[in-house]
Short mmCIF file of all heavy atoms in Angstrom, two decimals:
data_model
loop_
_atom_site.label_atom_id
_atom_site.label_comp_id
_atom_site.label_asym_id
_atom_site.label_seq_id
_atom_site.Cartn_x
_atom_site.Cartn_y
_atom_site.Cartn_z
N PRO A 187 30.43 -8.52 76.82
CA PRO A 187 31.55 -9.35 76.34
C PRO A 187 32.38 -8.60 75.31
O PRO A 187 31.97 -7.59 74.76
CB PRO A 187 30.83 -10.55 75.73
CG PRO A 187 29.55 -9.98 75.23
CD PRO A 187 29.15 -8.91 76.21
N LYS A 188 33.54 -9.18 75.02
CA LYS A 188 34.43 -8.60 74.01
C LYS A 188 34.21 -9.24 72.65
O LYS A 188 34.36 -8.59 71.64
CB LYS A 188 35.88 -8.77 74.46
CG LYS A 188 36.89 -8.10 73.57
CD LYS A 188 38.30 -8.23 74.13
CE LYS A 188 39.30 -7.51 73.25
NZ LYS A 188 40.68 -7.64 73.74
N PHE A 189 33.92 -10.51 72.60
CA PHE A 189 33.74 -11.21 71.33
C PHE A 189 32.31 -11.71 71.23
O PHE A 189 31.58 -11.81 72.21
CB PHE A 189 34.71 -12.40 71.23
CG PHE A 189 36.14 -11.99 71.26
CD1 PHE A 189 36.87 -12.10 72.44
CD2 PHE A 189 36.76 -11.49 70.14
CE1 PHE A 189 38.19 -11.72 72.47
CE2 PHE A 189 38.08 -11.11 70.19
CZ PHE A 189 38.82 -11.22 71.35
N SER A 190 31.93 -12.02 69.93
CA SER A 190 30.62 -12.62 69.71
C SER A 190 30.63 -14.06 70.20
O SER A 190 31.70 -14.67 70.40
CB SER A 190 30.27 -12.57 68.23
OG SER A 190 31.21 -13.32 67.50
N ASP A 191 29.42 -14.62 70.33
CA ASP A 191 29.23 -15.98 70.81
C ASP A 191 29.74 -16.15 72.24
O ASP A 191 30.03 -17.25 72.68
CB ASP A 191 29.90 -17.01 69.89
CG ASP A 191 29.25 -17.07 68.53
OD1 ASP A 191 28.04 -16.72 68.42
OD2 ASP A 191 29.95 -17.45 67.57
N SER A 192 29.91 -15.07 72.96
CA SER A 192 30.35 -15.17 74.37
C SER A 192 29.13 -15.39 75.24
O SER A 192 28.08 -14.77 75.03
CB SER A 192 31.08 -13.88 74.78
OG SER A 192 32.25 -13.73 74.00
N LEU A 193 29.27 -16.26 76.20
CA LEU A 193 28.17 -16.55 77.11
C LEU A 193 27.97 -15.39 78.06
O LEU A 193 28.94 -14.91 78.67
CB LEU A 193 28.46 -17.84 77.88
CG LEU A 193 27.46 -18.22 78.98
CD1 LEU A 193 26.11 -18.51 78.37
CD2 LEU A 193 28.00 -19.41 79.77
N LEU A 194 26.74 -14.93 78.19
CA LEU A 194 26.45 -13.84 79.10
C LEU A 194 25.88 -14.38 80.41
O LEU A 194 26.42 -14.15 81.49
CB LEU A 194 25.48 -12.86 78.46
CG LEU A 194 26.00 -12.11 77.21
CD1 LEU A 194 24.92 -11.16 76.71
CD2 LEU A 194 27.27 -11.35 77.52
N SER A 216 19.37 -8.79 66.91
CA SER A 216 20.54 -8.41 66.12
C SER A 216 21.80 -8.39 66.98
O SER A 216 22.91 -8.54 66.47
CB SER A 216 20.32 -7.04 65.48
OG SER A 216 20.11 -6.06 66.48
N ASP A 217 21.66 -8.21 68.30
CA ASP A 217 22.83 -8.14 69.19
C ASP A 217 22.93 -9.36 70.10
O ASP A 217 24.03 -9.72 70.55
CB ASP A 217 22.78 -6.88 70.04
CG ASP A 217 22.89 -5.62 69.20
OD1 ASP A 217 23.48 -5.70 68.08
OD2 ASP A 217 22.39 -4.56 69.62
N ARG A 219 21.22 -13.41 71.21
CA ARG A 219 20.39 -14.55 70.88
C ARG A 219 20.26 -15.43 72.11
O ARG A 219 21.16 -15.49 72.94
CB ARG A 219 20.96 -15.34 69.69
CG ARG A 219 22.34 -15.92 69.93
CD ARG A 219 22.86 -16.59 68.65
NE ARG A 219 24.22 -17.09 68.82
CZ ARG A 219 24.51 -18.30 69.29
NH1 ARG A 219 23.54 -19.14 69.62
NH2 ARG A 219 25.77 -18.70 69.43
N TYR A 227 23.48 -15.42 74.49
CA TYR A 227 24.79 -15.19 73.89
C TYR A 227 24.78 -13.84 73.19
O TYR A 227 23.74 -13.34 72.76
CB TYR A 227 25.11 -16.28 72.85
CG TYR A 227 25.32 -17.65 73.42
CD1 TYR A 227 24.25 -18.53 73.59
CD2 TYR A 227 26.59 -18.08 73.79
CE1 TYR A 227 24.44 -19.79 74.12
CE2 TYR A 227 26.79 -19.34 74.31
CZ TYR A 227 25.71 -20.20 74.48
OH TYR A 227 25.91 -21.43 74.98
N ALA A 228 25.99 -13.27 73.10
CA ALA A 228 26.16 -12.03 72.32
C ALA A 228 26.25 -12.42 70.84
O ALA A 228 27.11 -13.23 70.46
CB ALA A 228 27.39 -11.26 72.76
N ALA A 229 25.41 -11.84 69.99
CA ALA A 229 25.41 -12.18 68.56
C ALA A 229 26.48 -11.43 67.79
O ALA A 229 26.82 -11.82 66.68
CB ALA A 229 24.03 -11.87 67.95
N ARG A 230 27.05 -10.40 68.36
CA ARG A 230 28.12 -9.65 67.69
C ARG A 230 29.01 -9.03 68.75
O ARG A 230 28.70 -9.06 69.94
CB ARG A 230 27.54 -8.57 66.78
CG ARG A 230 26.77 -7.50 67.52
CD ARG A 230 26.22 -6.47 66.54
NE ARG A 230 25.48 -5.40 67.21
CZ ARG A 230 26.04 -4.29 67.71
NH1 ARG A 230 27.36 -4.12 67.59
NH2 ARG A 230 25.31 -3.37 68.31
N THR A 231 30.09 -8.46 68.30
CA THR A 231 31.02 -7.79 69.22
C THR A 231 30.38 -6.51 69.72
O THR A 231 29.96 -5.66 68.92
CB THR A 231 32.35 -7.49 68.53
OG1 THR A 231 32.88 -8.72 68.05
CG2 THR A 231 33.31 -6.83 69.49
N LEU A 232 30.32 -6.35 71.01
CA LEU A 232 29.71 -5.17 71.62
C LEU A 232 30.79 -4.24 72.11
O LEU A 232 31.82 -4.68 72.66
CB LEU A 232 28.80 -5.59 72.78
CG LEU A 232 27.67 -6.57 72.42
CD1 LEU A 232 26.89 -6.97 73.68
CD2 LEU A 232 26.75 -5.94 71.40
N SER A 277 34.31 -15.00 80.04
CA SER A 277 34.23 -15.15 78.57
C SER A 277 35.19 -16.21 78.12
O SER A 277 36.15 -16.57 78.82
CB SER A 277 34.54 -13.82 77.88
OG SER A 277 35.86 -13.45 78.15
N LYS A 278 34.94 -16.63 76.98
CA LYS A 278 35.80 -17.65 76.39
C LYS A 278 37.19 -17.06 76.14
O LYS A 278 37.30 -15.91 75.71
CB LYS A 278 35.21 -18.17 75.07
CG LYS A 278 33.91 -18.93 75.27
CD LYS A 278 33.41 -19.46 73.95
CE LYS A 278 32.13 -20.25 74.13
NZ LYS A 278 31.62 -20.76 72.85
N THR A 279 38.21 -17.87 76.30
CA THR A 279 39.56 -17.44 75.99
C THR A 279 39.77 -17.47 74.50
O THR A 279 38.98 -18.04 73.74
CB THR A 279 40.58 -18.37 76.68
OG1 THR A 279 40.36 -19.70 76.23
CG2 THR A 279 40.39 -18.31 78.21
N ILE A 306 35.95 -19.80 61.38
CA ILE A 306 35.92 -18.72 62.36
C ILE A 306 34.80 -17.78 61.96
O ILE A 306 34.73 -17.32 60.81
CB ILE A 306 37.27 -17.98 62.39
CG1 ILE A 306 38.40 -18.97 62.69
CG2 ILE A 306 37.24 -16.84 63.39
CD1 ILE A 306 39.78 -18.37 62.55
N ASN A 307 33.91 -17.47 62.88
CA ASN A 307 32.78 -16.60 62.61
C ASN A 307 33.10 -15.19 63.12
O ASN A 307 33.40 -15.01 64.30
CB ASN A 307 31.52 -17.12 63.29
CG ASN A 307 31.11 -18.47 62.72
OD1 ASN A 307 31.27 -18.73 61.54
ND2 ASN A 307 30.58 -19.34 63.58
N VAL A 308 32.98 -14.24 62.20
CA VAL A 308 33.25 -12.84 62.55
C VAL A 308 32.04 -12.02 62.14
O VAL A 308 31.63 -12.06 60.97
CB VAL A 308 34.51 -12.31 61.85
CG1 VAL A 308 34.76 -10.86 62.22
CG2 VAL A 308 35.71 -13.18 62.18
N PRO A 309 31.40 -11.32 63.07
CA PRO A 309 30.23 -10.53 62.71
C PRO A 309 30.62 -9.34 61.83
O PRO A 309 31.71 -8.77 61.97
CB PRO A 309 29.66 -10.09 64.06
CG PRO A 309 30.82 -10.12 64.98
CD PRO A 309 31.73 -11.22 64.52
N GLU A 310 29.69 -8.98 60.91
CA GLU A 310 29.95 -7.82 60.05
C GLU A 310 29.66 -6.54 60.81
O GLU A 310 29.04 -6.55 61.89
CB GLU A 310 29.08 -7.89 58.78
CG GLU A 310 27.60 -7.80 59.05
CD GLU A 310 26.78 -7.72 57.77
OE1 GLU A 310 27.34 -7.30 56.76
OE2 GLU A 310 25.58 -8.07 57.80
N SER A 312 31.48 -4.62 62.55
CA SER A 312 32.04 -4.43 63.89
C SER A 312 32.62 -3.03 64.01
O SER A 312 33.25 -2.51 63.08
CB SER A 312 33.11 -5.49 64.17
OG SER A 312 33.74 -5.26 65.42
N GLN A 318 41.48 -6.36 65.80
CA GLN A 318 40.72 -7.19 66.73
C GLN A 318 41.17 -8.64 66.55
O GLN A 318 41.12 -9.18 65.45
CB GLN A 318 39.23 -7.03 66.46
CG GLN A 318 38.35 -7.85 67.38
CD GLN A 318 36.87 -7.60 67.09
OE1 GLN A 318 36.54 -6.58 66.52
NE2 GLN A 318 36.02 -8.52 67.49
N GLU A 319 41.70 -9.28 67.68
CA GLU A 319 42.23 -10.62 67.60
C GLU A 319 41.09 -11.62 67.38
O GLU A 319 40.03 -11.51 68.01
CB GLU A 319 43.00 -11.00 68.86
CG GLU A 319 44.27 -10.19 69.10
CD GLU A 319 43.98 -8.84 69.74
OE1 GLU A 319 42.78 -8.61 70.06
OE2 GLU A 319 44.88 -8.02 69.90
N LEU A 320 41.39 -12.59 66.54
CA LEU A 320 40.40 -13.63 66.24
C LEU A 320 40.83 -14.97 66.80
O LEU A 320 40.11 -15.55 67.64
CB LEU A 320 40.20 -13.73 64.72
CG LEU A 320 39.71 -12.47 64.00
CD1 LEU A 320 39.58 -12.74 62.50
CD2 LEU A 320 38.37 -12.03 64.57
N ASN A 396 34.08 -16.94 58.21
CA ASN A 396 32.73 -16.61 57.78
C ASN A 396 32.31 -15.28 58.40
O ASN A 396 32.50 -15.06 59.60
CB ASN A 396 31.73 -17.69 58.19
CG ASN A 396 31.96 -18.99 57.43
OD1 ASN A 396 32.39 -18.97 56.29
ND2 ASN A 396 31.68 -20.11 58.07
N ILE A 398 29.51 -13.15 59.71
CA ILE A 398 28.19 -13.37 60.27
C ILE A 398 27.31 -12.19 59.91
O ILE A 398 27.69 -11.02 60.06
CB ILE A 398 28.26 -13.56 61.80
CG1 ILE A 398 29.19 -14.72 62.12
CG2 ILE A 398 26.85 -13.81 62.36
CD1 ILE A 398 28.79 -16.02 61.51
N MET A 400 24.42 -9.45 59.89
CA MET A 400 23.70 -8.60 60.82
C MET A 400 22.53 -7.96 60.06
O MET A 400 22.58 -7.79 58.84
CB MET A 400 24.62 -7.50 61.39
CG MET A 400 25.89 -8.04 61.99
SD MET A 400 25.60 -9.11 63.42
CE MET A 400 24.99 -7.91 64.58
#
Side-chain angles (χ1 to χ4, degrees):
K188 185 176 182 181
F189 298 100
S190 62
D191 294 334
S192 297
L193 174 64
L194 296 181
S216 60
D217 295 334
R219 62 185 177 88
Y227 293 89
R230 64 180 181 87
T231 302
L232 303 177
S277 64
K278 293 182 179 180
T279 59
I306 303 172
N307 296 325
V308 180
E310 64 174 337
S312 176
Q318 180 178 339
E319 295 82 4
L320 301 179
N396 292 329
I398 303 301
M400 307 297 292

